[in-house]
């Protein structure tokens, strides 16, 4: 299993609901979480087969900025 960490602009519960279908629908993603209380809004994704590039595209496709840490 791989674990990827990103800084994002996902900043509230509404944002999480908006990105949820994209991340949940990405094949290979086992779990993910965003710390919306942290100023950098870190996203942690645990995955078996999804790549960091696929995760970046999924989050950007939902309308948020993301950069790998």
């Amino acid at each position: 299993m791989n674990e990827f960490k990103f800084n994002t602009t996902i900043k509230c519960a509404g944002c999480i609901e908006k990105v949820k279908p994209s991340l949940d629908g990405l094949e290979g993603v086992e779990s993910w979480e965003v710390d919306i209380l942290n100023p950098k809004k870190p996203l942690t994704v645990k995955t078996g087969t999804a790549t960091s590039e696929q995760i970046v595209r999924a989050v950007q496709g939902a309308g948020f900025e993301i950069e790998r840490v």
Side-chain angles (χ1 to χ4, degrees), residues 11-29:
K11 59 185 178 186
C12 66
C15 296
I16 291 172
E17 287 302 313
K18 187 173 178 182
V19 77
K20 183 176 174 48
S22 299
L23 288 174
D24 286 350
L26 193 58
E27 186 174 328
V29 171

Side-chain angles (χ1 to χ4, degrees), residues 20-69:
K20 183 176 174 48
S22 299
L23 288 174
D24 286 350
L26 193 58
E27 186 174 328
V29 171
E30 296 179 12
S31 66
W32 61 273
E33 64 181 4
V34 180
D35 182 357
I36 59 174
L37 299 178
N38 183 311
K40 293 185 177 182
K41 313 304 182 205
L43 167 67
T44 303
V45 180
K46 293 180 181 176
T47 175
T49 58
T51 65
S52 63
E53 291 79 16
Q54 289 172 312
I55 296 164
V56 167
R57 283 195 300 269
V59 172
Q60 288 175 334
F64 300 96
E65 295 177 18
I66 181 172
E67 67 178 15
R68 190 159 179 195
V69 176

